[in-house]
Amino acid sequence: MSTLLIKNAYVVTMDDHHRELPDGGLFVRDGLIEQVAPSGALPEAADETLDLRGHVLLPGLVNTHHHFYQTLTRAVPAAQDANLFNWLRTLYPIWARMTPEHVFASTQTALAELALSGCTTASDHLYLFPNGSRLDDEIDAAREVGVRLHASRGSMSLGESKGGLPPDSVVDSEDVILKDSQRLIERYHDPAAGATVRIVLAPCSPFSVTGDLMRQSAELARQHGVRLHTHLAETEDEEQFCMQKFGHRPVGYMQELGWMGPDVWFAHAVWVSEAEIRAFAGHGCGVAHCPTSNMRLASGIAPIKEYMLAGVNVGLGVDGSASNDGSNLLAEVRQAMLLSRIKDGITGYSLSTEPERRLMAARQALWLGTRGGAAVLGRADIGALEAGRCADFFAVNLDHLEYAGAAQDPVSAIVFCQPRRVDYTAVGGKLIVRNGSLMTADEIVIVQRHNRLARGLLEA
Ligand SMILES: [Zn+2]
């Protein structure tokens, strides 16, 4: 039995009542929140006590879409100013040189960045496995950092010779993909509350896998109760590709393949119609909104407020670090709020007086990053600070230069102001970031190893 007491913080619970406690804290026992209360009502002692006076305390952020391995290819000159399809064509041959060591090292880099930005649960989508690399390499690396991981077993089976986008050298046979998917589910998937590792099946995109693989992956996932994930409706190019090759728009294609349901979430979902938004809501599909990536690749602006109004679960994702090019999830909360406002400015909603059409507020953006993400990943045990949930949280000290002058509304301050490293991050009550430093791995070692491997990939 171990206990942790946090007191004197500005607590943002993100519970169903949107409760905030200006002077409150948590009492944690064995990794679970036992009590959220004003500081004076909490127990007086614990194995460890943290006085977080001057800090805002929030539920840990949930990242719903990433490709950790892409931290090895950030800002590659030839891919800097390309749209999605050209960006991919430039990078596929570089990624094809990766080894298990690259997967391990890049996972630690991405998760260290995420932890330092308040993230406590991350979903990653690894969809190419060159030179003997496996999802196991990522899971091993994640265990060391200590962030909860939803490891998506991605796949590509539709190479150039069969009309797909990726070169044949980076695609696998469907038999190999399905066998490995089954192995990973049996070995790692933990459906229990408080799980640190879950497996997801995630054929990469309509333009890199066959419909057959999508169908069989869904069948396998549903036999084992694991979730399904893929990229969808990211760009206009993809819409044209689907119309020409399958005779459907991307969402219609998913409907045909049995890929609509509460166990499915899609990354991006930018190019959708009103009817398709209603279809997502009706089937309970989730959306991983990746605003920075959508801006970086000039993909478009996802209709996030429309999704929210329709009742679609929306979470945030930093997306791969070759299209962001960072893994700062708190910055992504800010981007989501700002990009939504640009869309409102373009469509004229910014002038609307209807309450539901008001500009996205800081607290709404934080909701997407916490409760929204937890719902998208199908987890009721994270995403809020309330008794019975996992003690996953982060804290930001407002007594820093970046927040000077913003004390009137400490919660909005951490979204409106330029984010800096968070001061504390805890997963299951264990502090993995303390005083702005990563506690579970050596940041300098991570950076040096990462740079050596990245140089090798690009110079090969
Ligand atoms: Zn992606």
Side-chain angles (χ1 to χ4, degrees):
M1 296 258 280
S2 71
T3 54
L4 170 68
L5 172 65
I6 312 276
K7 58 182 192 180
N8 301 326
Y10 189 110
V11 181
V12 185
T13 64
M14 291 288 161
D15 68 9
D16 290 345
H17 308 291
H18 303 264
R19 262 193 329 149
E20 294 180 9
L21 291 75
D23 179 1
L26 311 174
F27 186 75
V28 175
R29 189 187 302 274
D30 293 336
L32 293 178
I33 298 171
E34 197 167 278
Q35 202 179 342
V36 182
S39 297
L42 288 163
E44 283 180 5
D47 296 332
E48 179 170 10
T49 300
L50 274 183
D51 184 338
L52 294 187
R53 196 175 301 274
H55 291 66
V56 183
L57 182 75
L58 293 113
L61 299 174
V62 179
N63 184 43
T64 58
H65 186 66
H66 204 322
H67 312 284
F68 296 157
Y69 75 88
Q70 291 181 8
T71 49
L72 293 158
T73 54
R74 289 199 250 228
V76 169
Q80 280 177 17
D81 306 318
N83 67 1
L84 178 69
F85 281 14
N86 291 322
W87 174 89
L88 282 168
R89 284 192 192 102
T90 304
L91 293 170
Y92 283 137
I94 301 171
W95 296 337
R97 298 182 203 125
M98 284 195 306
T99 65
E101 193 184 8
H102 291 94
V103 173
F104 187 94
S106 56
T107 296
Q108 291 213 322
T109 300
L111 285 174
E113 280 185 273
L114 283 168
L116 287 162
S117 72
C119 173
T120 53
T121 299
S123 176
D124 186 62
H125 189 181
L126 181 59
Y127 53 82
L128 70 178
F129 299 90
N131 308 306
S133 44
R134 303 187 304 165
L135 199 61
D136 311 59
D137 305 316
E138 174 175 314
I139 294 168
D140 290 346
R143 283 197 167 132
E144 284 186 18
V145 179
V147 172
R148 294 184 203 280
L149 177 68
H150 284 228
S152 299
R153 203 301 177 186
S155 50
M156 296 199 291
S157 66
L158 190 68
E160 259 171 341
S161 64
K162 290 190 205 152
L165 190 76
D168 289 359
S169 60
V170 293
V171 307
D172 287 312
S173 83
E174 304 196 339
D175 190 41
V176 165
I177 291 165
L178 290 163
K179 279 203 179 109
D180 193 49
S181 301
Q182 172 127 21
R183 175 187 72 81
L184 289 160
I185 294 169
E186 287 167 0
R187 171 133 191 223
Y188 295 107
H189 184 68
D190 178 3
T196 52
V197 177
R198 284 193 186 161
I199 299 294
V200 175
L201 297 192
C204 189
S205 63
F207 51 84
S208 58
V209 296
T210 63
D212 232 19
L213 182 64
M214 298 287 294
R215 270 197 202 92
Q216 290 186 67
S217 296
E219 208 172 291
L220 182 61
R222 285 169 179 151
Q223 274 167 20
H224 293 273
V226 312
R227 292 175 96 75
L228 291 161
H229 179 51
T230 193
H231 293 95
L232 197 76
E234 181 172 359
T235 64
E236 211 170 6
D237 289 4
E238 179 195 325
E239 189 174 296
Q240 286 163 9
F241 180 96
C242 289
M243 288 301 291
Q244 281 164 15
K245 195 160 169 77
F246 312 120
H248 286 292
R249 291 166 51 78
V251 176
Y253 182 46
M254 291 299 113
Q255 283 176 312
E256 189 190 70
L257 296 174
W259 262 68
M260 298 290 275
D263 54 351
V264 180
W265 88 100
F266 299 114
H268 306 299
V270 173
W271 293 84
V272 292
S273 66
E274 280 176 29
E276 289 164 349
I277 292 172
R278 284 196 299 275
F280 281 179
H283 286 92
C285 300
V287 169
H289 176 43
C290 308
T292 303
S293 173
N294 295 158
M295 287 188 262
R296 157 67 145 96
L297 297 171
S299 302
I301 309 177
I304 298 308
K305 280 170 61 182
E306 285 74 9
Y307 282 134
M308 291 165 78
L309 279 170
V312 176
N313 288 324
V314 178
L316 300 180
V318 296
D319 202 2
S321 275
S323 68
N324 184 314
D325 300 48
S327 310
N328 188 318
L329 193 49
L330 188 51
E332 210 63 30
V333 171
R334 184 170 191 256
Q335 294 282 51
M337 180 181 81
L338 297 178
L339 186 60
S340 163
R341 291 174 175 215
I342 288 282
K343 188 166 170 56
D344 284 350
I346 296 166
T347 55
Y349 283 145
S350 58
L351 301 174
S352 173
T353 52
E354 298 167 63
E356 69 274 17
R357 294 287 183 195
R358 284 193 187 128
L359 296 182
M360 185 185 286
R363 285 170 172 79
Q364 283 178 301
L366 283 167
W367 184 272
L368 297 179
T370 52
R371 289 295 293 277
V376 163
L377 297 187
R379 296 193 68 144
D381 57 338
I382 59 172
L385 299 178
E386 57 184 354
R389 295 205 195 220
C390 298
D392 292 9
F393 59 83
F394 74 103
V396 175
N397 185 352
L398 293 182
D399 201 13
H400 286 301
L401 190 61
E402 290 83 351
Y403 301 111
Q408 294 275 316
D409 183 352
V411 184
S412 293
I414 69 161
V415 183
F416 274 89
C417 300
Q418 188 72 36
R420 50 170 287 126
R421 283 180 171 219
V422 305
D423 295 277
Y424 294 91
T425 303
V427 179
K430 181 185 173 194
L431 287 160
I432 61 171
V433 172
R434 198 186 269 264
N435 294 316
S437 295
L438 187 66
M439 302 306 294
T440 46
D442 186 328
E443 197 178 324
I444 294 169
V445 171
I446 287 177
V447 173
Q448 287 174 345
R449 182 182 55 193
H450 190 93
N451 279 335
R452 173 176 56 79
L453 290 165
R455 260 194 310 274
L457 265 192
L458 288 156
E459 286 166 5

